[in-house]
């Protein structure tokens, strides 16, 4: 029998990657839920997903040769894909302009439509050996604006080259909220990107894939001709509880050395369920040995019982760890992100090792609660990076208990901002509807931070945010202190 201490140490050694900002994931962390296969397919141009569900993860994975080979085993049409990131979280000024360069180009009178055409041109011109001005983005865009016929010839030649080589060109766009700190400007930038994606859609071997947050998708103007053709390709990224637990075990069984052996034995994966991956055309002799979950792996619930027991306390009234660990990490829309789930499990293992070393299970139920605290802190920090106005309006609510009447919240806001919502500052995109407190409330609800309860119209907050922002709930996970 494997001791809980060994399992705990093995979990802590597993590749969790809790803070992916565009860096290439490790091969052993790749798990493709069935729902995501449709999103990764090349005909899915629009992919919409909330914060942390995998937009940047899939962008990084698609652009890496080894990982794309793995993806190709589940989505065969991507096996021979040539992928370029047309915009992403990681800076790459040769491939796409950053926020400040974008701002300068727009201020000089260049339309975002032609900025994106220049991004596409810099990628495809190299595939047909065509020299274009590339000393600066202003030069490239100027050439695009003044040479529409030559531009079309280069794009069509690249399409023909991909077809002749049995390849497919895919350009991926992510982190588009970083293109501008003004909502109207960002909306026009995204709209013009969609127009270019629609144009590429008519080519047989070149396609765009655009990852958007739901709030961006809602605000983007799609009234241009044939926009419905793009909207028909839209796929949402979502994770079920079963997906999240399978993703966890995919990472656990790929823990290094003896730790991976321990967790594979614990999970009952003793047969050689692994694959070797090597990027096509690679001249190295190094293969990547990746352990894969068997197709028959459907036993996450009893396995998690073996990890954490079947109670969130001394009796069953406080819930079951398998369900509790996912449901208490959901946002206001009911979505739980893999990053939040992994952060909670990682912290639960660390806390169990420190506080409950002799506990009969690897994960103590009190440690799972502290895992929610850590996941909440990580999510709150991520919100501050993307929407820095959110902590400004949430700080005055620290110490309140939810659910509560909305008047309790507005009283706290009015005391902190006596001159109204106009006092709320942001160095990034401001609240979309910051003209009133009701507008602020609506923006927070769209982000999944606040929820209006249907039965009594009181305002509630999911633990994922409540704990990190320091609000209380009777009988709930304690908020973080300090």
């Amino acid at each position: 029998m494997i001791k809980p201490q060994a399992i705990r140490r093995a979990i802590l050694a597993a590749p969790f990657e809790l803070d992916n900002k565009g860096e290439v994931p490790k091969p052993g962390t790749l798990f493709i839920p069935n729902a995501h296969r449709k999103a990764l397919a090349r005909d899915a141009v629009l992919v919409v997903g909330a914060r942390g569900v995998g937009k940047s993860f899939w962008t990084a994975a698609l652009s890496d040769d080894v990982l794309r080979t793995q993806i190709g085993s589940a989505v065969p049409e991507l096996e021979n894909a040539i992928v370029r990131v047309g915009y992403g979280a990681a800076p790459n000024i040769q491939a796409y302009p950053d926020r400040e360069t974008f701002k300068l180009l727009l201020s000089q009178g260049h339309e975002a439509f032609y900025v994106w055409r220049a991004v596409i041109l810099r990628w495809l011109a190299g595939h047909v050996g065509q020299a274009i001005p590339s000393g600066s983005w202003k030069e490239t865009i100027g050439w695009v604006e003044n040479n529409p016929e030559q531009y079309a010839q280069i794009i069509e030649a690249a399409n023909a080259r991909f077809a002749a080589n049995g390849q497919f060109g895919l350009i991926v766009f992510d982190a588009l909220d970083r293109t501008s700190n003004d909502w109207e400007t960002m909306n026009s930038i995204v709209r013009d990107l969609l127009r270019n994606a629609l144009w590429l859609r008519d080519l047989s071997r070149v396609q765009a894939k655009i990852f958007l947050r739901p709030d961006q998708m809602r605000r983007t103007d799609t009234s241009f001709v044939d926009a419905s053709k793009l909207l028909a390709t839209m796929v949402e990224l979502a994770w079920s509880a079963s997906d999240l637990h399978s993703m966890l075990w995919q990472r656990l069984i790929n823990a290094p050395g003896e730790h991976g052996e321990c967790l594979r034995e614990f999970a009952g994966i003793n047969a050689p369920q692994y694959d070797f991956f090597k990027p096509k055309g690679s001249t190295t002799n190094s293969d990547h040995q990746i352990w894969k979950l068997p197709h028959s792996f459907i036993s996450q619930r009893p396995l998690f019982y073996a990890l954490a027991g079947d109670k969130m306390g001394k009796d069953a009234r406080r819930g079951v760890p398998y369900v509790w660990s996912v449901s208490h990490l959901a946002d206001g829309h009911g979505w739980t992100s893999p990053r939040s789930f992994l952060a909670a499990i990682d912290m639960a293992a660390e806390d169990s090792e420190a506080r409950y070393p002799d506990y009969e299970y690897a994960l103590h139920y009190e440690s799972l609660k502290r895992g929610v605290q850590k996941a909440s802190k990580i999510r709150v920090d991520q919100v501050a990076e993307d929407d820095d106005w959110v902590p400004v309006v949430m700080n005055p609510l620290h110490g309140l208990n939810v659910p509560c009447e909305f008047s309790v919240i507005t009283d706290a806001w009015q005391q902190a901002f006596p001159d109204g919502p106009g006092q709320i500052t942001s160095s990034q995109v401001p609240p979309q509807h910051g003209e009133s407190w009701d507008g602020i409330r609506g923006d927070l609800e769209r982000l999944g931070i606040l929820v209006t309860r249907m039965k009594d119209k009181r305002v509630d907050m999911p633990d994922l945010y409540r704990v990190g922002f320091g609000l209380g709930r009777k009988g709930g996970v304690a908020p973080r202190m300090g």
Side-chain angles (χ1 to χ4, degrees):
M1 181 178 177
I2 305 174
K3 293 183 178 180
Q5 293 85 351
I7 298 171
R8 206 175 291 139
R9 289 191 293 270
I11 293 173
L12 291 171
F16 274 16
E17 296 169 349
L18 298 180
D19 190 20
N20 184 281
K21 294 184 178 180
E23 61 268 21
V24 178
K26 298 178 177 67
T29 64
L30 190 68
F31 172 76
I32 308 177
N34 288 330
H36 288 214
R37 297 185 186 193
K38 186 176 180 181
L40 294 174
R42 67 191 191 193
D43 60 351
V45 178
L46 280 176
V47 181
V48 179
R51 180 182 289 106
V53 298
K55 299 186 298 297
S56 295
F57 180 93
W58 290 126
T59 297
L62 285 169
S63 61
D64 180 75
D65 289 341
V66 173
L67 294 174
R68 194 168 59 256
T69 300
Q70 282 185 258
I71 294 173
S73 65
V75 189
E77 60 195 88
L78 293 180
E79 191 171 359
N80 294 317
I82 304 296
V83 177
R84 168 87 157 208
V85 176
Y87 199 89
N92 187 347
I93 193 64
Q94 284 301 113
Y96 45 84
D98 58 16
R99 177 185 293 179
E100 292 306 313
T101 305
F102 229 123
K103 181 179 179 180
L104 177 62
L105 292 168
L106 296 179
S107 71
Q108 293 172 339
H110 298 291
E111 294 180 28
F113 179 79
Y114 290 104
V115 176
W116 292 125
R117 287 175 82 83
V119 168
I120 295 168
L121 179 67
R122 282 200 181 184
W123 169 44
L124 294 180
H127 284 279
V128 294
Q130 179 69 49
I132 58 167
S134 56
S136 68
W137 280 107
K138 182 178 179 63
E139 290 180 17
T140 307
I141 295 166
W143 188 93
V144 169
E145 293 170 335
N146 294 313
N147 298 276
E149 183 176 355
Q150 293 94 320
Y151 180 90
Q153 289 172 347
I154 292 173
I155 305 305
E156 291 176 15
N159 185 72
R161 177 68 59 86
F162 286 139
N165 293 337
Q167 297 172 325
F168 177 83
L170 182 66
I171 184 165
V172 181
F173 299 88
D174 180 37
L176 292 165
D177 54 315
R178 304 189 183 198
T179 56
S180 175
N181 57 8
D182 174 77
W183 272 107
E184 291 304 319
T185 301
M186 187 199 306
N187 293 341
S188 66
I189 288 173
V190 174
R191 178 180 185 273
D192 283 350
L193 175 58
L194 296 182
R195 290 171 60 203
N196 274 281
L198 180 63
W199 177 70
L200 290 177
R201 192 170 178 271
D202 290 333
L203 298 173
S204 62
R205 292 286 178 158
V206 179
Q207 188 68 271
K209 187 175 294 294
I210 302 170
F211 290 100
L212 290 175
R213 282 171 27 183
D215 54 324
Q216 289 178 300
M217 189 66 240
R218 280 191 294 267
R219 284 188 59 99
T220 298
D221 178 10
T222 56
S223 61
F224 52 89
V225 177
D226 287 338
S228 60
K229 294 180 179 178
L230 281 185
L231 296 177
T233 75
M234 187 168 65
V235 178
E236 291 189 359
L237 285 178
W239 291 80
S240 68
S242 177
D243 290 336
L244 290 167
H245 280 279
S246 291
M247 177 270 301
L248 169 66
W249 282 103
Q250 173 63 37
R251 292 166 185 255
L252 293 182
I253 65 174
N254 278 287
E258 63 180 1
H259 299 300
E261 293 176 7
C262 169
L263 291 168
R264 288 192 293 273
E265 181 181 348
F266 181 77
I269 302 176
N270 299 315
Q273 302 282 344
Y274 58 83
D275 281 346
F276 290 101
F277 292 96
K278 182 188 292 185
K280 288 181 180 280
S282 173
T283 58
T284 66
N285 292 321
S286 60
D287 290 330
H288 297 260
Q289 178 178 308
I290 308 302
W291 284 84
K292 296 174 61 180
L293 291 177
H295 293 298
S296 59
F297 187 79
I298 56 174
S299 55
Q300 305 104 318
R301 185 182 289 262
L303 265 180
F304 206 76
Y305 285 173
L307 277 183
D310 60 357
K311 301 179 184 64
M312 282 302 298
K314 295 181 179 179
D315 56 53
R317 289 179 297 176
R318 293 194 175 273
V320 177
Y322 176 84
V323 177
W324 191 98
S325 61
V326 174
S327 63
H328 282 258
L329 293 169
D331 67 6
H333 302 294
W335 299 326
T336 300
S337 78
R339 197 177 305 165
S340 296
F341 182 59
L342 291 174
I345 299 302
D346 181 66
M347 180 61 190
E350 182 179 324
D351 188 79
S352 297
E353 180 77 1
R355 296 173 184 262
Y356 313 102
D358 298 323
Y359 187 55
E360 61 180 314
Y361 297 105
L363 304 179
H364 196 281
Y365 55 83
E366 291 294 341
S367 296
L368 284 172
K369 296 176 184 178
R370 294 186 184 94
V372 170
Q373 291 180 329
K374 177 179 179 179
S376 182
K377 174 62 166 61
I378 290 175
R379 177 55 70 93
V380 165
D381 290 343
Q382 290 168 346
V383 168
E385 291 178 4
D386 295 338
D387 299 287
D388 61 354
W389 62 269
V390 171
V392 175
V393 300
M394 293 305 299
N395 286 340
L397 309 184
H398 192 281
L400 293 181
N401 283 333
V402 290
C404 65
E405 300 294 334
F406 183 53
S407 59
V408 175
I409 293 176
T410 54
D411 287 346
W413 282 341
Q414 288 170 351
Q415 185 174 353
F417 309 104
D419 294 331
Q423 285 187 269
I424 299 170
T425 60
S426 173
S427 61
Q428 302 167 351
V429 286
Q432 297 182 47
H433 305 89
E435 65 282 353
S436 68
W437 294 126
D438 277 334
I440 296 292
R441 172 187 183 174
D443 288 343
L444 290 171
E445 288 182 346
R446 278 182 283 274
L447 291 173
I449 297 173
L450 293 184
V451 179
T452 298
R453 293 173 24 144
M454 296 298 295
K455 61 181 180 180
D456 56 16
K457 302 304 179 183
R458 290 194 297 171
V459 176
D460 205 348
M461 185 178 297
D463 285 353
L464 179 65
Y465 291 109
R466 177 188 64 79
V467 172
F469 282 123
L471 283 79
R473 181 195 306 282
K474 184 178 180 180
V477 177
R480 284 180 57 90
M481 305 303 294

